[in-house]
């Protein structure tokens, strides 16, 4: 099975500061990778997904960007954080085919 | 692409009560169907799955049957416990370049 490493677990950043969240995957190759944001402890909003190195699909216009510099590395970034960027961010991976998704433990981002 | 309609909560039950959380989906092909559970402050983890029509997935007393004719995958448990309190997500998965979508999540609270 896969293991998803996501860090940091908690982050407090001032408005206007940059952001970089990293996610790495073990146990598979050429996964589909996803970044979700979860507000109010419930729904998952898909932000970005990637089917391969350098291939990024953006789901929602926003203040964030994503990059996939290596097969099993997925990075979520922002140049200038907004208060509305606060939330719980989750990285996920699927190994291709009709397989289950594996999730990181999440990053709680608070923009102050 | 795929989409999911999931019963929205929150759902509050007493211990040993019967649980049903409805989930219906739309998909262009033949997805596998998954239920994930999220405990407070954590990422999602697989609860159960079914890969073809009429299959029944089961785990920890939870069950769900893949109903192709009604495009449904309702989650059930005969006797819930306080430890089942969590948020539950339904998700069809087809792999390939199909993005991973989730229902909006159903928050379950079980009171002693």
């Amino acid at each position: 099975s896969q293991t998803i490493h996501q860090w940091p677990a908690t982050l407090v950043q001032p408005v206007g500061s940059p952001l970089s969240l990293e996610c790495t995957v073990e146990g598979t190759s050429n996964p589909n990778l996803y970044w979700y944001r979860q507000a109010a402890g419930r729904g998952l909003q898909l932000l970005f997904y990637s089917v391969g190195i350098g291939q990024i699909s953006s789901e929602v216009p926003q203040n964030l960007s994503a990059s996939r510099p290596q097969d099993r590395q997925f990075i979520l970034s922002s140049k200038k954080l907004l208060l509305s960027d606060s939330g719980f961010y989750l990285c996920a991976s699927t190994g291709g085919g009709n397989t289950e998704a594996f999730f990181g433990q999440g990053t709680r981002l608070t923009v102050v | 692409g795929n989409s999911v309609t999931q019963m929205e909560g929150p759902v509050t039950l007493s211990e040993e009560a019967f649980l049903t959380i409805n989930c219906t989906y739309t998909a262009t092909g033949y997805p596998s169907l998954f239920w994930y559970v999220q405990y407070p402050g954590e990422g999602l983890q697989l609860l159960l799955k079914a890969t073809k029509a009429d299959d029944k997935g089961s785990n920890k007393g939870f069950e769900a049957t893949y109903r192709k004719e009604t495009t449904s995958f309702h989650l059930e448990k005969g006797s819930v416990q306080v430890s089942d309190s969590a948020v539950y997500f339904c998700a069809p998965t087809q792999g390939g370049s199909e993005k991973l979508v989730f229902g909006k999540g159903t928050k379950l609270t079980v009171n002693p």
Side-chain angles (χ1 to χ4, degrees):
Chain A
S1 67
Q2 301 179 36
T3 302
I4 314 299
H5 299 283
Q6 185 181 341
W7 67 91
T10 306
L11 191 59
V12 180
Q13 291 284 96
V15 169
S17 64
L19 173 74
S20 180
L21 301 181
E22 187 164 345
C23 171
T24 59
V25 181
E26 291 180 2
T28 189
S29 59
N30 196 30
N32 289 353
L33 299 176
Y34 305 83
W35 278 111
Y36 294 90
R37 179 167 58 204
Q38 186 176 32
R42 272 194 49 194
L44 295 173
Q45 179 186 32
L46 179 61
L47 301 177
F48 301 94
Y49 73 102
S50 171
V51 299
I53 296 173
Q55 300 179 63
I56 308 295
S57 296
S58 175
E59 288 297 298
V60 181
Q62 58 207 318
N63 185 42
L64 303 169
S65 62
S67 62
R68 185 170 177 175
Q70 301 181 43
D71 181 45
R72 289 173 288 177
Q73 183 185 30
F74 203 28
I75 298 171
L76 183 69
S77 304
S78 174
K79 293 182 179 179
K80 290 185 178 181
L81 283 169
L82 306 172
L83 288 173
S84 58
D85 292 323
S86 295
F88 190 56
Y89 289 82
L90 285 164
C91 177
S93 170
T94 58
N98 293 5
T99 57
E100 70 179 275
F102 294 85
F103 284 82
Q105 287 298 296
T107 296
R108 173 74 59 190
L109 172 66
T110 304
V111 182
V112 297
Chain B
N2 296 346
S3 66
V4 183
T5 301
Q6 181 178 340
M7 182 178 85
E8 294 193 37
V11 175
T12 303
L13 297 173
S14 297
E15 206 164 22
E16 299 183 1
F18 183 84
L19 170 71
T20 299
I21 301 177
N22 291 336
C23 171
T24 58
Y25 67 92
T26 59
T28 53
Y30 301 97
S32 293
L33 302 175
F34 299 82
W35 276 100
Y36 293 87
V37 59
Q38 183 184 30
Y39 299 104
E42 299 183 6
L44 280 68
Q45 57 185 279
L46 177 67
L47 178 60
L48 54 83
K49 66 180 181 182
T51 58
K52 62 182 186 296
D54 300 325
D55 269 3
K56 177 184 285 187
S58 61
N59 185 27
K60 299 181 180 180
F62 291 89
E63 294 182 339
T65 300
Y66 191 142
R67 301 290 188 195
K68 184 179 176 183
E69 64 277 10
T70 55
T71 61
S72 65
F73 194 52
H74 304 321
L75 182 68
E76 297 182 336
K77 186 171 185 179
S79 177
V80 293
Q81 305 300 311
V82 173
S83 58
D84 294 327
S85 298
V87 182
Y88 293 82
F89 293 89
C90 180
T93 302
Q94 289 181 258
S97 60
E98 189 71 41
K99 62 187 178 185
L100 181 60
V101 295
F102 290 88
K104 292 186 177 182
T106 303
K107 183 176 182 179
L108 170 66
T109 301
V110 181
N111 295 318

